[in-house]
Amino acid sequence: MIRTALRAPIDRDTHAALRAAVLGLVDARPGRRFDPVLHAGRPGLAVHHPDPGPPTVRAAPGDDPGVRADLALALLRRALALHPRPLVWLTRPGELSVHDDDLRWLHPTSWAAGALGLPVGLVVVTPRGWFDPVSDVRREWRRIRRRAGG
């Protein structure tokens, strides 16, 4: 199965979930620098795994696409128990442009979604907004704030 990229216009449910992911990151992050984390599910009903990071040795398993695919598959299986339409997102610091961390997770998450028959792909979430690294559909805020009553 080929990964399904987000297409504009985004449905309200997906937009609300991704906005909640940005708000959750802004509320939870300890500072300007933090490690990337892969999430699956929906904000508030998600499972996550810290990114194993760049390897110190070329063959280290932290940079192995197979290990990343296994992690993504396990997260998506657990997320399906929480929500019938899970999302997959990577939280990381930085700007809304494609970074190495995004590329390290893009194919493994696409493979995992395809293995489960899910039409989802990776969305990158930063403190400034979110974007799909394949379609470049995005939403950015200068200062995101919680809405009144929510």
Side-chain angles (χ1 to χ4, degrees), residues 27 31 38 49 70 129:
D27 290 347
L38 184 69
H49 181 77
D70 288 344

Side-chain angles (χ1 to χ4, degrees), residues 7-140:
R7 303 266 183 243
I10 301 299
D11 65 83
R12 291 183 91 129
D13 183 52
T14 301
H15 176 75
L18 292 172
R19 184 178 190 281
V22 174
L23 282 167
L25 177 61
V26 168
D27 290 347
R29 70 187 170 106
R32 294 177 61 116
R33 295 244 184 242
F34 54 95
D35 292 331
V37 177
L38 184 69
H39 306 260
R42 293 292 174 127
L45 292 173
V47 293
H48 57 86
H49 181 77
D51 185 336
T56 54
V57 179
R58 189 163 204 259
D63 207 32
D64 181 345
V67 171
R68 288 177 187 271
D70 288 344
L71 288 170
L73 183 62
L75 288 178
L76 271 170
R77 280 189 175 138
R78 290 176 46 205
L80 273 171
L82 302 173
H83 196 282
R85 287 185 5 162
L87 297 173
V88 179
W89 69 99
L90 180 70
T91 55
R92 64 160 174 79
E95 297 300 317
L96 291 174
S97 59
V98 178
H99 289 199
D100 290 346
D101 291 320
D102 311 344
L103 298 176
R104 278 199 266 304
W105 282 108
L106 186 61
H107 183 72
T109 56
S110 296
W111 175 85
L116 295 174
L118 297 172
V120 299
L122 182 69
V123 176
V124 176
V125 173
T126 76
R128 299 283 309 270
W130 59 264
F131 79 102
D132 180 322
V134 173
S135 68
D136 201 38
V137 171
R138 65 184 51 231
R139 177 68 200 260
E140 186 171 1

